[in-house]
Amino acid sequence: MTGIPENIIEEVVARSDIVSVVGEYVRFTKTSGQNQFGLCPFHSEDTPSFSVSITKQIYYCFGCHKGGNVINFIMEIEKLTYPEAIRLLAERVQVSIPEPQDDGYRIVAEKRDAIRAALLDAARYFYKSLQSSQGARAKDYIKKRELSESTVRTFGLGYAPDSRDGLYRYLKEKNYSDEVIDECGLFTRSKRGDRVDLFRGRLMFPIFDTMGKIIAFGGRTILTDGMPKYINSPETAVYSKKSTLYALNFAKAVREKTLIIVEGYMDVISMYQAGVKNVVATLGTALTEKQMTLASRYAEELILFYDSDRAGQEAAVRGLRLLMAKMASQSTLQVRLSVGRVPDGKDPDQFIREHGAEAFRRVAADAAPVMAYLIGVAETQSTIDGRFDPRVYQEMACTFLSWETNAINRERFAGKVAERLGVSVASVLQEVVRTESQSKNSEPVRFRSGAEREQDMAPIPTDTMYASADEIRFIGMISMLPEAYIKLPDRPLPQDFSQGNMREIATNVFMLAAQGQIDVNKLLEISSDMTLNGKPAKDYFSRMIMKSSVGALTDEVIDIFINLLYRIRFETYKQRKKTLVESLSGNLSDQERVRNQALLREIEQYLKYLRQQIRPDEPDTM
Ligand SMILES: [Zn+2]
């Protein structure tokens, strides 16, 4: 029993064209008579055996033998119950369903509807505020970014006034319940427990699902108040960040074979306005597996553009490693990955405003295969102050090559590395195999500054099992609120943590956090065989997690993260200082002495800075 009248179900099915519904998930590559073929979304395959019949309005896979009608398809792919699938389809074709008598699903579905309705009303509130006198500064910003009135409307841009609870009061007037208000991701609680607007003084970007419904918001501050530049809504019942691509609802409509993937909303919007419409954004993370799978339904080639600064490169490399592993393990992913590079280290946004769409298309056409990009990263990272360090280059390039599972590609790029090092291809390949067998479970490639690298030369005498309470707390909190990792203005690094087990845990956690894939269970898995301070690491973390109550990622919580990070850094740099001081009283060449003294001054300054930032008192709950 669905609780939905039979004639309504018939109408929903009749109005839902299976080809266009399935087309949201499967890219059809072949037509045979009345049938469309594409790669099956339910099993791994290299040649398309999944077919949809236009005339019969059913689907069937000749590989895994799954088949059914449009409702079965939605149930299977969205993991929904029968009535939920009907509701989703009904919404799509705008058939209204009379109230069912009972059923638990109704409550869930209604709540999701109510959340979406509240988000839509919030978007209206933001839009109206932008058009009012309050929105003057946001309008100035829009003007400065040269966005047209029609672009503002297409993307539904708005302004969240710098008011404590303006949106809250607006939604209350519209009779939304506090339950819905608490779950739509737009509010936090003040210290006194009142609901306050999460987004204040920000230019607002609605985030849409593939069907064009608003499911979340991003906001860019336009005040000069030292707040994080961008913040996004937290995950909710209708929004999962790692499986959402911003503007995919627009990009899929142009049906191009390539999809350009950038990092920010503004990049997408500028490019769209300039006429490059096959573009989406990852909402601040490196591309996740889920996003890649989603994108691959709409395009044959994905061209990634990353920030060209050091942090951007680092995130790119971590992300690419996971994507390469995913592609190697799943042959249904028939998508080509390339990495584009905007000249002079500019943002795509900036570039397209200066040079126009045609110039950008040429840049996109020049995108390099992933491995070529990685080898380029090894080159940049191993050249410091114009000095090329072949040892670092070799280490990085061989690690990157070990991720390449295609033997032909591997040999091709090994040739380039061999040439750069002036050695034989055979010796590079041999080294790659050695790296591969060594690095099964070890830490990913580390990026190190010159100073950092010097430090690593001298072993720091610390207990490899040592971990401070702050370190444990920080890692536990990141696992509960992984979105904090990318929102922190000052990105935590594994090197900030104590050597040994703690640093290994931090390395793994940050790698997964960059992908939005860390959670409490993963953390316990990572640390399951490790010891900290003589006790099982997972006991420490379990306790910490049990004791914490996880709330939303508010500015206050971000502050707690930053404070913890600064305290952790303070301890680590104190250790480094100690080692340096000791080295200065030993036997050093003049050159080393000068260098260590300079390093010591740098570290002392940083310690002084940290001491000024750190708050001693730390509230115990999040
Ligand atoms: Zn199949």
Side-chain angles (χ1 to χ4, degrees):
M1 287 309 291
T2 60
I4 302 171
E6 208 53 39
N7 61 330
I8 300 279
I9 298 177
E10 276 167 25
E11 191 184 351
V12 169
V13 174
R15 287 215 212 168
S16 300
D17 172 41
I18 193 164
V19 178
S20 65
V21 171
V22 174
E24 310 257 2
Y25 303 87
V26 174
R27 195 155 40 81
F28 298 118
T29 49
K30 200 173 88 182
T31 306
S32 164
Q34 290 296 304
N35 297 340
Q36 299 274 357
F37 280 82
L39 292 175
C40 180
F42 304 123
H43 85 279
S44 285
E45 62 176 359
D46 299 330
T47 51
S49 51
F50 182 86
S51 67
V52 171
S53 162
I54 298 161
T55 46
K56 300 187 194 97
Q57 289 289 306
I58 59 152
Y59 69 94
Y60 181 71
C61 174
F62 293 91
C64 66
H65 308 293
K66 281 194 197 316
N69 68 3
V70 68
I71 298 174
N72 304 130
F73 181 82
I74 290 295
M75 286 170 68
E76 183 88 42
I77 198 131
E78 295 281 1
K79 302 276 176 280
L80 295 179
T81 62
Y82 189 70
E84 283 170 348
I86 294 168
R87 291 196 158 254
L88 191 143
L89 287 168
E91 212 174 87
R92 191 176 176 276
V93 294
Q94 293 173 337
V95 170
S96 64
I97 295 178
E99 282 309 302
Q101 276 68 40
D102 53 5
D103 273 355
Y105 83 85
R106 187 172 58 86
I107 298 161
V108 176
E110 271 177 2
K111 192 192 275 169
R112 290 173 63 143
D113 285 350
I115 291 172
R116 278 192 287 252
L119 292 171
L120 184 60
D121 270 324
R124 289 190 181 119
Y125 168 81
F126 295 142
Y127 188 77
K128 268 192 264 174
S129 307
L130 178 64
Q131 306 305 331
S132 77
S133 57
Q134 295 184 89
R137 284 183 77 168
K139 280 225 149 160
D140 284 348
Y141 178 80
I142 286 170
K143 209 164 165 191
K144 214 172 72 200
R145 303 305 288 253
E146 297 164 30
L147 300 184
S148 70
E149 195 46 49
S150 100
T151 301
V152 169
R153 239 178 295 120
T154 302
F155 287 91
L157 304 193
Y159 175 64
D162 190 19
S163 117
R164 184 178 158 82
D165 59 356
L167 177 62
Y168 175 68
R169 281 183 282 117
Y170 180 83
L171 290 182
K172 282 307 274 185
E173 268 167 38
K174 300 244 163 210
N175 287 322
Y176 286 100
S177 68
D178 279 339
E179 197 193 358
V180 167
I181 282 173
D182 284 338
E183 290 191 34
C184 68
L186 297 175
F187 303 95
T188 57
R189 296 287 185 127
S190 72
K191 285 206 179 76
R192 288 210 321 265
D194 311 330
R195 293 177 180 83
V196 292
D197 294 1
L198 173 63
F199 295 95
R200 290 188 239 167
R202 288 177 184 272
L203 181 62
M204 298 300 291
F205 302 82
I207 296 167
F208 307 94
D209 65 11
T210 51
M211 311 268 194
K213 284 210 156 51
I214 296 173
I215 51 174
F217 287 91
R220 185 200 194 282
T221 185
I222 52 157
L223 309 174
T224 44
D225 58 358
M227 285 296 174
K229 200 158 143 197
Y230 285 98
I231 57 173
N232 290 330
S233 309
E235 306 243 318
T236 63
V238 298
Y239 174 54
S240 153
K241 182 169 108 177
K242 61 187 172 206
S243 38
T244 303
L245 284 167
Y246 177 69
L248 185 56
N249 55 314
F250 300 122
K252 71 175 192 182
V254 297
R255 297 181 175 276
E256 290 200 27
K257 284 183 178 167
T258 58
L259 187 63
I260 294 165
I261 302 180
V262 295
E263 294 196 334
Y265 327 102
M266 280 309 294
D267 293 321
V268 168
I269 296 174
S270 288
M271 290 165 77
Y272 189 93
Q273 178 173 288
V276 178
K277 298 190 173 179
N278 54 329
V279 57
V280 298
T282 51
L283 301 161
T285 49
L287 187 70
T288 67
E289 290 178 13
K290 281 190 177 165
Q291 288 170 334
M292 175 172 69
T293 307
L294 178 67
S296 71
R297 289 178 192 141
Y298 301 100
E300 290 169 18
E301 183 184 14
L302 309 180
I303 304 176
L304 312 172
F305 283 87
Y306 294 106
D307 283 357
S308 51
D309 61 3
R310 189 188 185 80
Q313 254 185 14
E314 192 176 338
V317 168
R318 284 202 210 98
L320 288 171
R321 181 191 196 181
L322 293 183
L323 297 182
M324 288 174 79
K326 174 79 176 172
M327 291 184 62
S329 71
Q330 203 180 331
S331 57
T332 37
L333 270 175
Q334 286 293 302
V335 72
R336 233 170 336 125
L337 271 190
S338 309
V339 182
R341 217 174 58 83
V342 180
D344 314 325
K346 288 195 175 114
D347 293 342
D349 168 32
Q350 203 181 357
F351 182 85
I352 208 154
R353 278 186 292 138
E354 286 170 18
H355 303 282
E358 269 325 298
F360 188 85
R361 287 208 178 86
R362 282 195 296 276
V363 168
D366 277 344
V370 169
M371 195 45 69
Y373 169 78
L374 289 173
I375 300 296
V377 169
E379 177 77 38
T380 327
Q381 294 286 331
S382 56
T383 308
I384 286 176
D385 300 332
R387 259 181 34 224
F388 176 69
D389 186 337
R391 213 174 46 89
V392 175
Y393 178 80
Q394 177 207 311
E395 188 190 325
M396 287 190 110
C398 288
T399 305
F400 293 149
L401 284 170
S402 74
W403 302 346
E404 176 63 72
T405 47
N406 179 307
I408 295 168
N409 272 344
R410 191 187 269 203
E411 185 159 340
R412 189 171 136 224
F413 288 103
K416 296 200 188 300
V417 174
E419 200 177 305
R420 183 71 174 96
L421 291 168
V423 299
S424 72
V425 180
S427 64
V428 171
L429 285 171
Q430 204 181 336
E431 190 57 25
V432 171
V433 172
R434 199 185 61 80
T435 309
E436 206 173 9
S437 61
Q438 255 184 8
S439 70
K440 279 271 144 52
N441 287 310
S442 73
E443 60 186 315
V445 176
R446 297 230 316 264
F447 287 79
R448 293 170 290 194
S449 68
E452 211 84 60
R453 214 173 282 151
E454 305 292 351
Q455 276 298 291
D456 282 348
M457 302 282 187
I460 301 175
T462 49
D463 177 1
T464 59
M465 283 199 272
Y466 173 79
S468 70
D470 284 341
E471 287 175 321
I472 288 165
R473 181 130 182 268
F474 188 88
I475 292 294
M477 279 174 64
I478 285 279
S479 307
M480 286 185 281
L481 287 168
E483 66 270 38
Y485 175 75
I486 46 166
K487 281 193 190 147
L488 287 178
D490 200 348
R491 197 73 64 88
L493 297 170
Q495 299 92 292
D496 295 330
F497 286 72
S498 296
Q499 289 204 328
N501 288 349
M502 193 64 229
R503 190 174 293 182
E504 194 175 334
I505 292 169
T507 303
N508 285 313
V509 166
F510 294 156
M511 190 177 83
L512 291 167
Q515 292 291 301
Q517 289 180 353
I518 188 71
D519 58 29
V520 168
N521 282 315
K522 269 267 159 57
L523 170 64
L524 296 178
E525 208 178 287
I526 289 167
S527 58
S528 65
D529 292 321
M530 290 196 220
T531 311
L532 294 175
N533 303 329
K535 283 187 197 154
K538 66 176 173 33
D539 293 359
Y540 269 116
F541 289 121
S542 306
R543 203 185 81 202
M544 186 265 145
I545 290 157
M546 283 299 289
K547 280 173 63 182
S548 305
S549 55
V550 185
L553 186 59
T554 58
D555 290 345
E556 283 158 27
V557 174
I558 295 243
D559 270 340
I560 297 180
F561 271 109
I562 295 170
N563 193 40
L564 271 175
L565 179 61
Y566 282 167
R567 298 205 317 196
I568 292 165
R569 278 202 185 140
F570 187 79
E571 288 310 312
T572 303
Y573 278 87
K574 232 167 65 186
Q575 273 296 326
R576 294 208 176 132
K577 181 183 159 186
K578 200 172 143 220
T579 318
L580 267 178
V581 170
E582 277 166 14
S583 81
L584 286 170
S585 65
N587 251 342
L588 288 178
S589 72
D590 286 350
Q591 201 192 355
E592 276 171 330
R593 186 167 299 276
V594 170
R595 199 178 47 199
N596 284 7
Q597 275 163 344
L599 209 56
L600 183 60
R601 275 196 300 277
E602 225 175 87
I603 287 176
E604 273 169 344
Q605 270 199 338
Y606 190 48
L607 282 169
K608 196 171 142 207
Y609 166 79
L610 288 173
R611 196 176 293 122
Q612 288 163 351
Q613 303 297 317
I614 289 171
R615 289 191 311 269
D617 58 316
E618 192 57 60
D620 227 344
T621 53
M622 297 175 59

